[in-house]
Amino acid sequence: MLRIQSEFVEGFGALAGLGPAISVFGSARTKRGSERYLQAERIGELIASAGVAVITGGGPGAMEAANKGAVNGGGVSVGLGIELPFETGLNEWVDLGVNFRYFFARKTMFVKYSQGFIVLPGGYGTLDELFEALTLVQTEKVTGFPIVLVGTAYWTPLLDWLKNTVVEEGAISPPDLDLIRLTDDIEEAVDIMVNSARPNGFVAAD
Ligand SMILES: CC(C)=CCNc1ncnc2c1ncn2[C@@H]1O[C@H](COP(=O)(O)O)[C@@H](O)[C@H]1O
């Protein structure tokens, strides 16, 4: 119990003065030098150039790339790491790092301290973060919170499934699909975020 509480206290303390920030998610397995890695790096750089901090899961792959871009763009590079059995530690491009034992405490920080999510191709971890954000926006626990998927080829089959199966089944309504933006254009992705200019955080005062 105390450990859980201390994770929240430590996270809030470390991030309180952060200012505007955007979270970037994507696969921990994205390879250095790959097209996707370079794309994540460029996204980090564009966000930083707009004077906005970049928040990632602090790990390898797309997270590392976005943190690297943030540093190269002269911005604040945040990593919210997670303790895992196969420890990899925070990547070398994280300037402001916080480590968590619990995914749920860490997930609170991404939403509370960023104004939107940019989501690159990824696996279960990325999908978890994407669907948690969608649930929070759908239920209006957060408002004005853009969620942008980057990579049309990767994401279109998922969006088709949501449209053709999940909406058809009545499990979500058609407007729920509009909560997701999809693009291959990383400048557009960053523009959507930066222009949303919403104050960070949950609707309720925590
Ligand atoms: C090589 C490897 C698996 C390292 C794991 N190291 C990690 N470090 C930090 N965050 C992580 C890690 N693995 C998953 N995550 C979380 O889940 C997402 C990536 O998971 P995935 O690779 O898409 O499913 C990230 O956005 C991050 O928030």
Side-chain angles (χ1 to χ4, degrees):
M1 228 7 222
L2 281 177
R3 168 80 205 202
I4 293 171
Q5 192 177 352
S6 77
E7 292 223 325
F8 281 101
V9 171
E10 197 192 323
F12 293 156
L15 301 174
L18 187 61
I22 293 167
S23 294
V24 182
F25 298 100
S27 173
R29 304 173 195 207
T30 299
K31 296 211 170 15
R32 284 184 182 162
S34 66
E35 201 181 315
R36 292 209 197 290
Y37 188 99
L38 297 175
Q39 203 174 34
E41 193 177 332
R42 182 84 186 114
I43 287 172
E45 205 173 322
L46 285 171
I47 295 170
S49 308
V52 177
V54 174
I55 305 180
T56 76
M63 296 170 268
E64 174 189 288
N67 285 127
K68 184 178 179 191
V71 171
N72 290 340
V76 180
S77 176
V78 182
L80 306 181
I82 184 81
E83 285 176 20
L84 296 171
F86 40 93
E87 194 64 71
T88 51
L90 290 170
N91 72 66
E92 63 186 289
W93 300 96
V94 169
D95 291 331
L96 173 53
V98 188
N99 264 309
F100 294 84
R101 180 176 294 174
Y102 301 107
F103 270 106
F104 62 85
R106 173 178 180 262
K107 278 159 81 177
T108 304
M109 306 297 152
F110 287 121
V111 177
K112 184 168 167 56
Y113 292 101
S114 67
Q115 58 198 46
F117 284 9
I118 294 182
V119 188
L120 292 151
Y124 286 159
T126 302
L127 294 169
D128 176 41
E129 284 145 352
L130 166 63
F131 280 102
E132 150 154 276
L134 284 171
T135 308
L136 291 171
V137 177
Q138 183 196 42
T139 57
E140 297 182 19
K141 290 287 178 185
V142 295
T143 53
F145 193 88
I147 299 166
V148 182
L149 305 182
V150 176
T152 51
Y154 189 83
W155 294 112
T156 297
L158 176 73
L159 298 183
D160 286 345
W161 176 73
L162 290 174
K163 189 171 160 203
N164 299 327
T165 304
V166 186
V167 171
E168 275 304 304
E169 180 81 15
I172 60 172
S173 58
D176 291 330
L177 295 174
D178 301 335
L179 305 179
I180 308 172
R181 304 282 295 266
L182 172 66
T183 185
D184 282 317
D185 180 345
I186 56 177
E187 296 192 355
E188 184 192 350
V190 174
D191 278 352
I192 291 169
M193 291 292 149
V194 171
N195 294 332
S196 82
R198 117 196 216 281
N200 300 347
F202 289 98
V203 174
D206 306 321

